[in-house]
């Protein structure tokens, strides 16, 4: 049953006359964008910062492309993500709704193209987020199996066992998300603390116990394991691994209608999370590469499938110590799945609210008891559960789901970044609205900057550089990791995106164009 907004808001007296409160202001701002406030605002600055840091989770390090390749690709991705997050912060400050990219596309696009651009962007986000949830669950399960191999090399990991672990991870995340209330925000605060403490626990152990490499070995060594024609091409292909470490930054945006003061809190959470995760991630990469042998994890890295496990073992020469360090990483990945489910389900719920997906009447409903989009949460888990079956047939195919997540999410970023750049160059975004009751930042309405934005030429430069960075990531996210891949080694993400977009446009032509009009003005 769909939740209907009551006349009384939080903090109202028995006569229904509410004193002005933060909740009232937040709901009023949401209503100015035409949306009913139906979700409870349980997240504050600290809990949403923990949520955002968990979604990024970059400190475990990226080792693809050799020592120098890993360090410089991480720096490139970090700087590019900062530019990209500034754009997100501006847009979230303007229109903090759970819809995120497709809402922004609709409000920024020319009237003639609003419907189709918003629809396509919404589906790119759906593809990306649902694939990201499945990919994170898969990687968690894969790490657990690798840890079992590390502890007992006689263990014969079976694909079906990995699928069961994926399902177990999703089940735990489902329970946490369905309980609702303050549980998830409190978990995110705890995870934020563990995120930082876990970093120091691993980094200090590595630096203290490992035989260090020289600075020359760490900062000037490059590898071309994929057999590409040039080192630069190899570097750009490997760089997408670092980009994946920063993917999902818009997750906090999709929680906007559950955050107090979202127009201010979301930009702060975005910028703080990219600063915290960037610093921790860079520190971890440097520490691991100073601790690693020349083959980055050696035979044990190949056996487990994760170089960092081999590096931990080489550094500590202790099986129990390595298992403890790896367990910290795995626990963090498992916690990230909880946040990914929350964000993916909110994005799906919001798009359903605006009639963008088949069966939207069912998926848009909000539980009147929990004040949560329960149906969208269950559907998201079901999709990832079915995708988890792919692992039984091919583990390599599951890695294509990871690429699909990067491609889908970054393509949705690219659409809105380009549209924002066009609008700001044209000067069509204003600093104030005519009245507090005026609809703003919805299709056809006046565009008004929020509390956070980069002014003038600086904003244009930052926006343009963000477009360049996102374009590079999208282009190379479709490349295989080897120059001459076999059918199994091929990156099929472009086929996944293309096929889904084809089916999406078929649905649009025959059905959605008659019912989808962009973000629906409910008030």
């Amino acid at each position: 049953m769909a939740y209907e907004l009551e006349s009384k808001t939080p903090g109202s007296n028995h006569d229904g006359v509410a004193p002005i409160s933060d909740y009232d202001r937040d709901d009023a701002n949401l209503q100015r964008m035409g949306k009913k406030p139906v979700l409870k605002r349980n997240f504050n600055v600290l809990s949403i910062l923990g949520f955002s840091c968990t979604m990024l989770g970059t400190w475990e390090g990226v080792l693809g492309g050799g020592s120098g390749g890993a360090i410089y690709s991480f720096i490139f991705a970090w700087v590019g993500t900062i530019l990209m997050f500034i754009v997100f912060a501006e847009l979230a400050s303007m229109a903090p709704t759970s819809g995120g990219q497709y809402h922004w596309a609709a409000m920024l696009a020319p009237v003639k193209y609003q419907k189709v651009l918003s629809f396509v962007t919404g589906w790119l986000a759906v593809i990306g987020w649902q694939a990201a949830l499945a990919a994170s669950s898969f990687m968690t399960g894969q790490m657990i199996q690798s840890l079992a191999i590390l502890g007992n090399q006689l263990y014969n990991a079976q694909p079906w066992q990995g699928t069961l672990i994926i399902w177990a991870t999703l089940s735990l995340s489902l329970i946490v998300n369905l309980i609702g209330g303050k549980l998830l925000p409190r978990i995110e605060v705890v995870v934020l603390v563990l995120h930082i403490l876990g970093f120091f626990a691993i980094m200090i152990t590595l630096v203290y116990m490992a035989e260090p490499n020289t600075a020359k070995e760490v900062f000037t060594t490059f590898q071309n394991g994929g057999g590409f024609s040039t080192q630069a091409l190899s570097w750009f292909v490997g760089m997408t691994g670092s980009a994946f470490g920063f993917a999902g930054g818009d997750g906090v945006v999709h929680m906007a209608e559950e955050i107090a003061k979202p127009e201010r809190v979301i930009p702060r959470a975005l910028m703080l999370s990219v600063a915290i995760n960037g610093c921790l991630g860079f520190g971890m990469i440097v520490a691991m590469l100073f601790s690693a042998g020349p083959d980055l994890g050696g035979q044990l890295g190949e056996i487990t499938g994760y170089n960092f496990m081999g590096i931990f073992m080489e550094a500590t020469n202790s099986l129990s110590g390595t298992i403890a360090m790896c367990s910290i990483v795995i626990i963090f990945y498992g916690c990230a799945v909880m946040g990914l489910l929350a964000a993916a389900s909110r994005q799906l719920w919001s798009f359903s609210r605006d009639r963008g997906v088949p069966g939207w009447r069912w998926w848009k409903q909000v539980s009147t008891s929990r004040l949560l989009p329960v149906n969208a949460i269950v559907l998201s888990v079901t999709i990832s559960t079915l995708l988890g079956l792919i692992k039984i047939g091919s583990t390599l195919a599951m890695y294509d789901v990871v690429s699909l997540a990067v491609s889908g999410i970054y393509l949705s970023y690219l659409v809105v970044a380009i549209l924002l750049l066009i609008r700001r160059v044209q000067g069509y975004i204003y600093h104030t609205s005519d009245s507090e009751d005026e609809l703003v930042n919805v299709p056809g309405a006046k565009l008004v900057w929020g509390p956070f934005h980069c002014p003038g030429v600086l904003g244009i430069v930052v926006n343009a550089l963000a477009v360049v960075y996102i374009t590079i990531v999208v282009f190379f996210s479709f490349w295989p990791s080897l120059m001459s891949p076999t059918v199994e080694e091929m990156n099929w993400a472009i086929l996944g995106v293309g096929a889904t977009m084809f089916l999406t446009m078929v649905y649009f032509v025959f059905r959605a164009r008659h019912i989808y009009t962009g973000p629906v003005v409910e008030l």
Side-chain angles (χ1 to χ4, degrees):
M1 178 179 179
Y3 176 80
E4 297 294 336
L5 182 65
E6 297 182 358
S7 60
K8 297 181 181 180
T9 55
S12 63
N13 60 27
H14 294 291
D15 297 324
V17 180
I20 297 176
S21 67
D22 290 337
Y23 288 105
D24 295 326
R25 292 190 186 95
D26 294 339
D27 289 348
N29 289 335
L30 184 61
Q31 289 167 348
R32 291 185 70 195
M33 290 181 286
K35 295 300 181 184
K36 288 182 180 180
V38 296
L39 303 180
K40 192 171 182 180
R41 299 184 184 275
N42 290 314
F43 285 87
N44 56 26
V45 176
L46 188 60
S47 57
I48 204 63
L49 176 61
F51 183 92
S52 186
C53 286
T54 304
M55 300 288 285
L56 294 181
T58 53
W59 64 252
E60 68 273 12
V62 181
L63 297 178
S67 300
I71 290 175
Y72 301 123
S73 65
F74 184 89
I75 294 173
F76 180 79
W78 187 12
V79 173
T81 302
I82 291 173
L83 298 171
M84 187 173 69
F85 274 25
I86 291 174
V87 172
F88 292 167
E90 290 180 314
L91 290 167
S93 187
M94 290 174 65
T97 74
S98 296
Q101 294 94 304
Y102 81 85
H103 182 106
W104 301 336
M107 77 180 191
L108 294 170
V111 174
K112 183 178 180 181
Y113 304 107
Q114 281 177 351
K115 182 190 294 187
V116 65
L117 282 177
S118 174
F119 186 78
V120 169
T121 305
W123 269 102
L124 285 171
V126 167
I127 294 169
W129 273 102
Q130 296 301 324
L133 176 60
S136 184
S137 304
F138 157 70
M139 293 177 72
T140 303
Q142 190 79 350
M143 285 185 184
I144 291 174
Q145 282 193 297
S146 296
L147 189 61
I149 294 172
L150 182 67
N152 180 10
Q153 294 189 24
L154 295 178
Y155 167 61
N156 183 21
Q158 298 296 319
W160 63 268
Q161 295 170 341
T163 296
L164 292 179
I165 297 173
I166 292 173
W167 291 352
T169 304
L170 289 168
S171 298
L172 177 61
S173 300
L174 176 63
I175 292 171
V176 171
N177 274 266
L178 288 182
I179 290 176
K182 295 286 185 178
L183 179 60
L184 184 58
R186 287 172 178 167
I187 288 176
E188 297 300 344
V189 173
V190 173
V191 172
L192 176 61
V193 176
L194 294 177
H195 179 60
I196 297 173
L197 293 179
F199 163 79
F200 284 107
I202 292 177
M203 189 191 71
I204 292 172
T205 303
L206 286 175
V207 172
Y208 179 76
M209 299 190 69
E211 186 70 29
N213 296 314
T214 64
K216 182 179 180 180
E217 290 173 324
V218 171
F219 292 100
T220 64
T221 301
F222 292 84
Q223 295 178 0
N224 187 354
F228 293 95
S229 56
T230 65
Q231 185 63 54
L233 183 58
S234 175
W235 184 86
F236 273 109
V237 173
M239 179 273 303
T240 57
S242 296
F244 178 75
F246 285 105
D250 61 307
V252 62
V253 173
H254 301 304
M255 305 300 293
E257 295 174 39
E258 297 168 67
I259 303 171
K261 300 181 181 178
E263 71 282 355
R264 298 182 182 275
V265 169
I266 292 177
R268 291 173 186 170
L270 285 170
M271 302 318 298
L272 284 173
S273 63
V274 73
I276 293 172
N277 278 276
C279 290
L280 298 184
F282 182 75
M284 183 60 70
I285 284 181
V286 172
M288 291 179 73
L289 293 178
F290 267 104
S291 306
D295 51 359
L296 297 177
Q299 185 179 5
L300 188 56
E302 294 180 4
I303 292 173
T304 60
Y306 290 95
N307 289 341
F308 74 85
M309 293 187 177
I311 293 172
F312 289 173
M313 189 66 185
E314 290 174 348
T316 63
N317 198 29
S318 168
L319 179 60
S320 58
T322 300
I323 290 175
M325 294 165 70
C326 293
S327 297
I328 294 174
V329 178
I330 293 172
I331 290 171
F332 181 74
Y333 265 84
C335 291
V337 176
M338 299 177 189
L340 281 163
L341 174 57
S345 61
R346 300 319 189 268
Q347 192 277 331
L348 178 63
W349 163 74
S350 184
F351 200 36
S352 300
R353 175 177 59 177
D354 291 319
R355 308 170 188 172
V357 298
W360 55 270
R361 289 184 178 85
W362 182 255
W363 315 125
K364 76 168 187 174
Q365 294 183 14
V366 174
S367 168
T368 55
S369 57
R370 293 187 175 90
L371 303 184
L372 291 171
V374 173
N375 291 351
I377 292 173
V378 172
L379 177 60
S380 297
V381 170
T382 302
I383 292 172
S384 289
T385 298
L386 295 176
L387 288 175
L389 292 171
I390 295 175
K391 180 172 171 52
I392 297 177
S394 172
T395 298
L396 288 175
M398 279 302 298
Y399 282 107
D400 289 335
V401 176
V402 178
S403 297
L404 182 62
V406 176
S407 304
I409 291 177
Y410 274 86
L411 277 169
S412 70
Y413 295 169
L414 183 60
V415 174
V416 295
I418 292 174
L419 290 174
L420 178 63
L421 179 61
I422 294 171
R423 286 302 190 187
R424 77 191 312 155
V425 169
Q426 292 174 333
Y428 288 169
I429 308 178
Y430 302 92
H431 290 280
T432 59
S433 59
D434 296 329
S435 70
E436 293 186 358
D437 297 327
E438 179 187 16
L439 283 176
V440 295
N441 299 329
V442 295
K446 186 177 183 179
L447 296 175
V448 180
W449 287 116
F452 179 94
H453 82 279
C454 285
V457 176
L458 177 61
I460 294 175
V461 171
V462 168
N463 201 157
L465 291 175
V467 169
V468 172
Y469 169 71
I470 298 170
T471 302
I472 292 172
V473 173
V474 169
F475 178 73
F476 285 103
S477 70
F478 294 123
W479 283 58
S481 58
L482 301 173
M483 188 64 185
S484 302
T486 63
V487 173
E488 292 78 14
E489 294 166 340
M490 182 63 185
N491 184 348
W492 296 104
I494 190 168
L495 178 63
V497 173
T500 307
M501 284 294 97
F502 174 76
L503 294 175
T504 296
M505 294 313 299
V506 169
Y507 174 63
F508 180 80
V509 170
F510 289 100
R511 175 60 177 165
R513 66 188 179 94
H514 301 295
I515 59 174
Y516 182 78
T517 58
V520 175
V521 176
E522 299 174 318
L523 297 172

